[in-house]
Amino acid sequence: MHPVKKFLPSIFFLASAGAAFAAPTADEIKQLGTTLTPWGAEVAGNKEGTIPAYTGGLTKPPANYDKKRPGWRPDPFPNEKPLYRIDAKNAAQYKDKLTPGTLALIQKYPATFFVDVYPTHRTAAYPKEWLDNSIKNATRCALISDGDGVDTSKGCGGGVLFPIPKNGLEVMWNKASTYKGAGILKRDAVIEYVKPNGEVVSTATADILSAFPISDPATEIKDIVYLNRVEYKGPTRLAGSSSLFYDSTQTGERRAYSYQPSTRRVRMAPDFAADTPISQMGGAALYDDDTLFVGKRERYNWKLIGKKEVYLPYNNYRMSFPDPKGGCTPKEYLTPSHPKSDCMRWELHRVWHVQATLKDGKRHVYHKRDLFLDEDSLAAGLAENYDQSGRLYRYNEAAAIPMYEARIPGFTELVNIDLISGVYVVNRTDTGIMSYTLMPAMLAPDSATNKMLK
């Protein structure tokens, strides 16, 4: 049996929705493709001119892009200089457009953390079929299972799910349904965490596949919202092992498996979820920290605070695909407490602000989560996570780095910064990041015994 088909029938979850969610009006839907983009971003720029109008995104690689090296993307804006710098001396002047977490980092590390603000480029570009489906989804998608699932019986999928979002849950589903193609493969990824003294600890190398089938117009695997597959190459204690998990579109339930060569057995791994620390990341990241947030939403109340303009790490090709002579190689940017500020490009963008607060009776190490999600790419942004005492605990950056040659805007590079321990973690590659087709055979638990990411 196809492993995903073991999820309970959708009719059960339709009956157990347990909550009412408002639908967009006909007048609101008419704005899609006119004053709003098909996925619901504002087409117009801001009145100050610091955010430009959306004109279709970046669709052509720069002249130095090498087709023979498709996973490596040179910076399309190599000659641009910062417009201004925000640091501890002038942060108060820009406070209204700094998130609380960004301001906290400036204050905590006044000598080293600053925000270099560059011209804003709205580089997100999408394929036509995804755009067409996004408009159609305005009338054919609905939340079920108390917001942990989506009803796909009317054809929902293959685009952003809620282009006119009415609540925080719908915005979070939009984040999950941004376009990432058939899958994204990070080959020869190196997982490293940096101690407060600057020591860099490499914990693993692996091939990592992530996929969001619900958003792919071309896939037949519509009953999965998110999949993650990791095939470890090193160190010796991890070589040959693998992990696999995926989440149901209808319920949010996760199926997770791990394989260890020493036992030659595939085991279920229910701990690969929620607030379980990821051991390979030095304890500085949880399973649901991936992509700023992923997994079941049931532990939190999700509130849509609204739209605002904030500074985000954006078009950060310089750090993800460094020029050997550009001053931002991993050896140079992995500095104590946070990545080297000179290597981070920040831009002013509009975001959806969603706040999640822990429900009474639920358990999680984060009591509150504030997410600031870019209106264009939907996946890029910031997540600021607070502990039970109300302290800012972890600050997670997802810098937008669109795959311009393939119209895949949903790829981001994640940096997790622990403000209490002083540790931060990155997941980088010197080989490249490429589009990769998720195959149904990869969903079978037994497939974890084989290397399939070739």
Side-chain angles (χ1 to χ4, degrees):
M1 179 182 291
H2 192 289
V4 184
K5 299 305 181 185
K6 294 180 181 179
F7 289 120
L8 293 177
S10 61
I11 183 122
F12 172 84
F13 302 106
L14 285 168
S16 65
F21 299 101
T25 66
D27 287 340
E28 288 174 325
I29 294 172
K30 287 179 182 178
Q31 297 178 59
L32 297 173
T34 56
T35 57
L36 298 178
T37 66
W39 64 92
E42 296 175 47
V43 171
N46 63 3
K47 63 180 180 180
E48 297 83 4
T50 51
I51 296 176
Y54 181 76
T55 57
L58 181 62
T59 59
K60 293 183 179 179
N64 59 340
Y65 174 75
D66 185 357
K67 292 183 179 180
K68 295 180 181 179
R69 198 182 183 190
W72 200 261
R73 294 172 188 86
D75 187 351
F77 314 111
N79 299 319
E80 289 189 348
K81 304 297 181 184
L83 300 173
Y84 49 93
R85 174 174 291 181
I86 304 172
D87 57 22
K89 297 177 182 178
N90 65 355
Q93 179 182 344
Y94 300 96
K95 186 176 180 180
D96 63 325
K97 290 182 171 56
L98 292 169
T99 67
T102 306
L103 181 60
L105 281 167
I106 292 173
Q107 295 170 338
K108 185 177 180 66
Y109 304 113
T112 58
F113 191 92
F114 50 83
V115 171
D116 277 345
V117 180
Y118 287 76
T120 296
H121 296 280
R122 299 178 68 177
T123 46
Y126 295 90
K128 185 179 184 304
E129 188 175 2
W130 187 92
L131 296 173
D132 292 344
N133 282 334
S134 295
I135 295 175
K136 294 175 183 177
N137 285 341
T139 56
R140 65 186 187 183
C141 291
L143 294 177
I144 56 175
S145 303
D146 292 324
D148 255 326
V150 174
D151 176 13
T152 58
S153 64
K154 297 180 181 178
C156 174
V160 77
L161 303 189
F162 300 99
I164 310 287
K166 297 293 187 178
N167 54 62
L169 280 167
E170 291 183 349
V171 173
M172 296 306 293
W173 275 98
N174 287 351
K175 174 191 165 300
S177 58
T178 187
Y179 186 63
K180 296 191 178 184
I184 294 176
L185 175 64
K186 182 178 283 190
R187 196 174 295 285
D188 298 318
V190 181
I191 301 171
E192 295 175 319
Y193 68 88
V194 183
K195 296 181 178 180
N197 64 3
E199 179 186 355
V200 179
V201 180
S202 296
T203 63
T205 57
D207 291 338
I208 302 175
L209 173 67
S210 60
F212 291 80
I214 185 66
S215 70
D216 181 11
T219 188
E220 296 181 0
I221 308 172
K222 299 296 187 184
D223 41 7
I224 291 179
V225 60
Y226 174 65
L227 174 141
N228 179 281
R229 183 185 180 100
V230 182
E231 296 179 358
Y232 290 98
K233 297 182 173 181
T236 302
R237 63 182 175 81
L238 290 176
S241 63
S242 63
S243 65
L244 167 68
F245 57 81
Y246 47 83
D247 299 337
S248 164
T249 300
Q250 296 175 339
T251 67
E253 294 292 343
R254 174 165 293 183
R255 294 292 178 87
Y257 307 93
S258 67
Y259 170 70
Q260 299 293 333
S262 59
T263 62
R264 298 184 180 181
R265 293 183 62 184
V266 176
R267 299 178 183 272
M268 295 189 72
D271 289 341
F272 288 4
D275 58 353
T276 301
I278 302 175
S279 59
Q280 290 82 4
M281 293 189 171
L286 311 176
Y287 274 93
D288 67 6
D289 278 328
D290 194 12
T291 72
L292 299 181
F293 178 85
V294 71
K296 292 200 74 173
R297 301 152 183 84
E298 63 178 358
R299 301 188 189 201
Y300 291 93
N301 291 310
W302 299 87
K303 182 179 180 180
L304 176 57
I305 305 297
K307 294 276 290 283
K308 64 182 302 184
E309 297 176 6
V310 301
Y311 298 108
L312 296 179
Y314 215 95
N315 294 316
N316 205 31
Y317 297 90
R318 184 182 180 192
M319 196 171 88
S320 293
F321 306 102
D323 182 329
K325 299 180 181 180
C328 290
T329 63
K331 185 176 181 180
E332 294 166 306
Y333 75 69
L334 293 176
T335 53
S337 305
H338 55 81
K340 184 180 177 182
S341 293
D342 303 84
C343 297
M344 296 291 292
R345 178 189 176 107
W346 295 74
E347 298 179 3
L348 184 65
H349 286 264
R350 283 186 290 247
V351 300
W352 296 97
H353 179 192
V354 177
Q355 186 175 88
T357 52
L358 196 63
K359 292 179 179 178
D360 291 341
K362 295 293 185 179
R363 181 191 60 80
H364 197 286
V365 297
Y366 299 154
H367 179 73
K368 185 180 76 168
R369 314 170 84 129
D370 276 303
L371 294 102
F372 303 89
L373 302 173
D374 171 42
E375 70 168 346
D376 288 331
S377 71
L378 302 171
L382 301 168
E384 300 176 358
N385 306 302
Y386 296 80
D387 66 13
Q388 302 300 320
S389 67
R391 290 183 303 173
L392 180 59
Y393 183 10
R394 291 192 176 125
Y395 175 91
N396 300 338
E397 304 171 341
I401 313 167
M403 300 167 71
Y404 40 62
E405 81 289 355
R407 291 179 181 252
I408 297 178
F411 175 71
T412 60
E413 283 276 58
L414 195 64
V415 178
N416 301 75
I417 301 175
D418 188 320
L419 278 82
I420 295 177
S421 71
V423 170
Y424 71 93
V425 63
V426 299
N427 176 345
R428 64 173 186 83
T429 177
D430 297 324
T431 303
I433 301 150
M434 57 208 73
S435 180
Y436 191 91
T437 301
L438 171 65
M439 297 178 289
M442 291 180 177
L443 304 177
D446 290 346
S447 74
T449 62
N450 302 316
K451 288 190 176 297
M452 301 188 73
L453 303 178
K454 300 177 181 179

PDB file of all heavy atoms in Angstrom, residues 62 64 75-81 345:
ATOM      1  N   PRO A  62      21.975  36.161 -13.728  1.00  0.00           N
ATOM      2  CA  PRO A  62      22.999  37.124 -14.136  1.00  0.00           C
ATOM      3  C   PRO A  62      23.921  36.520 -15.187  1.00  0.00           C
ATOM      4  O   PRO A  62      23.937  35.304 -15.400  1.00  0.00           O
ATOM      5  CB  PRO A  62      23.743  37.415 -12.837  1.00  0.00           C
ATOM      6  CG  PRO A  62      23.482  36.228 -11.971  1.00  0.00           C
ATOM      7  CD  PRO A  62      22.114  35.745 -12.333  1.00  0.00           C
ATOM      8  N   ASN A  64      26.989  35.883 -15.287  1.00  0.00           N
ATOM      9  CA  ASN A  64      28.012  34.932 -14.843  1.00  0.00           C
ATOM     10  C   ASN A  64      27.430  33.639 -14.277  1.00  0.00           C
ATOM     11  O   ASN A  64      28.158  32.830 -13.698  1.00  0.00           O
ATOM     12  CB  ASN A  64      28.944  35.577 -13.816  1.00  0.00           C
ATOM     13  CG  ASN A  64      28.208  36.086 -12.586  1.00  0.00           C
ATOM     14  OD1 ASN A  64      27.005  36.297 -12.615  1.00  0.00           O
ATOM     15  ND2 ASN A  64      28.953  36.287 -11.504  1.00  0.00           N
ATOM     16  N   ASP A  75      25.483  36.227  -7.128  1.00  0.00           N
ATOM     17  CA  ASP A  75      24.716  37.381  -6.676  1.00  0.00           C
ATOM     18  C   ASP A  75      24.271  38.211  -7.883  1.00  0.00           C
ATOM     19  O   ASP A  75      25.103  38.673  -8.663  1.00  0.00           O
ATOM     20  CB  ASP A  75      25.595  38.227  -5.753  1.00  0.00           C
ATOM     21  CG  ASP A  75      24.841  39.367  -5.093  1.00  0.00           C
ATOM     22  OD1 ASP A  75      23.677  39.615  -5.465  1.00  0.00           O
ATOM     23  OD2 ASP A  75      25.433  40.014  -4.212  1.00  0.00           O
ATOM     24  N   PRO A  76      22.965  38.418  -8.077  1.00  0.00           N
ATOM     25  CA  PRO A  76      22.498  39.250  -9.207  1.00  0.00           C
ATOM     26  C   PRO A  76      22.700  40.749  -8.979  1.00  0.00           C
ATOM     27  O   PRO A  76      22.495  41.536  -9.901  1.00  0.00           O
ATOM     28  CB  PRO A  76      21.014  38.894  -9.310  1.00  0.00           C
ATOM     29  CG  PRO A  76      20.627  38.496  -7.929  1.00  0.00           C
ATOM     30  CD  PRO A  76      21.837  37.846  -7.317  1.00  0.00           C
ATOM     31  N   PHE A  77      23.097  41.126  -7.769  1.00  0.00           N
ATOM     32  CA  PHE A  77      23.292  42.554  -7.448  1.00  0.00           C
ATOM     33  C   PHE A  77      24.680  42.780  -6.838  1.00  0.00           C
ATOM     34  O   PHE A  77      24.813  43.367  -5.756  1.00  0.00           O
ATOM     35  CB  PHE A  77      22.211  43.034  -6.475  1.00  0.00           C
ATOM     36  CG  PHE A  77      20.816  42.596  -6.853  1.00  0.00           C
ATOM     37  CD1 PHE A  77      20.138  41.661  -6.092  1.00  0.00           C
ATOM     38  CD2 PHE A  77      20.188  43.118  -7.981  1.00  0.00           C
ATOM     39  CE1 PHE A  77      18.862  41.251  -6.429  1.00  0.00           C
ATOM     40  CE2 PHE A  77      18.910  42.720  -8.337  1.00  0.00           C
ATOM     41  CZ  PHE A  77      18.234  41.777  -7.559  1.00  0.00           C
ATOM     42  N   PRO A  78      25.737  42.334  -7.509  1.00  0.00           N
ATOM     43  CA  PRO A  78      27.065  42.334  -6.876  1.00  0.00           C
ATOM     44  C   PRO A  78      27.653  43.714  -6.642  1.00  0.00           C
ATOM     45  O   PRO A  78      28.524  43.875  -5.769  1.00  0.00           O
ATOM     46  CB  PRO A  78      27.919  41.541  -7.870  1.00  0.00           C
ATOM     47  CG  PRO A  78      27.263  41.776  -9.193  1.00  0.00           C
ATOM     48  CD  PRO A  78      25.791  41.817  -8.886  1.00  0.00           C
ATOM     49  N   ASN A  79      27.200  44.702  -7.382  1.00  0.00           N
ATOM     50  CA  ASN A  79      27.806  46.030  -7.285  1.00  0.00           C
ATOM     51  C   ASN A  79      27.034  46.992  -6.396  1.00  0.00           C
ATOM     52  O   ASN A  79      27.449  48.150  -6.232  1.00  0.00           O
ATOM     53  CB  ASN A  79      27.962  46.634  -8.687  1.00  0.00           C
ATOM     54  CG  ASN A  79      28.863  45.787  -9.576  1.00  0.00           C
ATOM     55  OD1 ASN A  79      29.889  45.273  -9.120  1.00  0.00           O
ATOM     56  ND2 ASN A  79      28.470  45.612 -10.837  1.00  0.00           N
ATOM     57  N   GLU A  80      25.933  46.526  -5.837  1.00  0.00           N
ATOM     58  CA  GLU A  80      25.168  47.417  -4.972  1.00  0.00           C
ATOM     59  C   GLU A  80      25.860  47.606  -3.622  1.00  0.00           C
ATOM     60  O   GLU A  80      26.488  46.693  -3.090  1.00  0.00           O
ATOM     61  CB  GLU A  80      23.750  46.873  -4.754  1.00  0.00           C
ATOM     62  CG  GLU A  80      22.876  46.971  -5.996  1.00  0.00           C
ATOM     63  CD  GLU A  80      21.432  46.627  -5.709  1.00  0.00           C
ATOM     64  OE1 GLU A  80      21.133  46.095  -4.617  1.00  0.00           O
ATOM     65  OE2 GLU A  80      20.598  46.885  -6.597  1.00  0.00           O
ATOM     66  N   LYS A  81      25.709  48.804  -3.084  1.00  0.00           N
ATOM     67  CA  LYS A  81      26.270  49.145  -1.783  1.00  0.00           C
ATOM     68  C   LYS A  81      25.124  49.433  -0.806  1.00  0.00           C
ATOM     69  O   LYS A  81      24.017  49.803  -1.212  1.00  0.00           O
ATOM     70  CB  LYS A  81      27.175  50.371  -1.882  1.00  0.00           C
ATOM     71  CG  LYS A  81      28.298  50.240  -2.893  1.00  0.00           C
ATOM     72  CD  LYS A  81      29.269  49.121  -2.521  1.00  0.00           C
ATOM     73  CE  LYS A  81      30.407  49.028  -3.529  1.00  0.00           C
ATOM     74  NZ  LYS A  81      31.310  47.882  -3.228  1.00  0.00           N
ATOM     75  N   ARG A 345      22.781  40.770   3.810  1.00  0.00           N
ATOM     76  CA  ARG A 345      22.072  41.817   3.074  1.00  0.00           C
ATOM     77  C   ARG A 345      20.656  41.937   3.636  1.00  0.00           C
ATOM     78  O   ARG A 345      19.917  40.949   3.718  1.00  0.00           O
ATOM     79  CB  ARG A 345      22.009  41.471   1.588  1.00  0.00           C
ATOM     80  CG  ARG A 345      21.245  42.497   0.736  1.00  0.00           C
ATOM     81  CD  ARG A 345      21.024  42.011  -0.681  1.00  0.00           C
ATOM     82  NE  ARG A 345      20.229  42.968  -1.426  1.00  0.00           N
ATOM     83  CZ  ARG A 345      20.681  43.771  -2.385  1.00  0.00           C
ATOM     84  NH1 ARG A 345      21.959  43.698  -2.753  1.00  0.00           N
ATOM     85  NH2 ARG A 345      19.889  44.621  -3.006  1.00  0.00           N
TER      86      ARG A 345
END
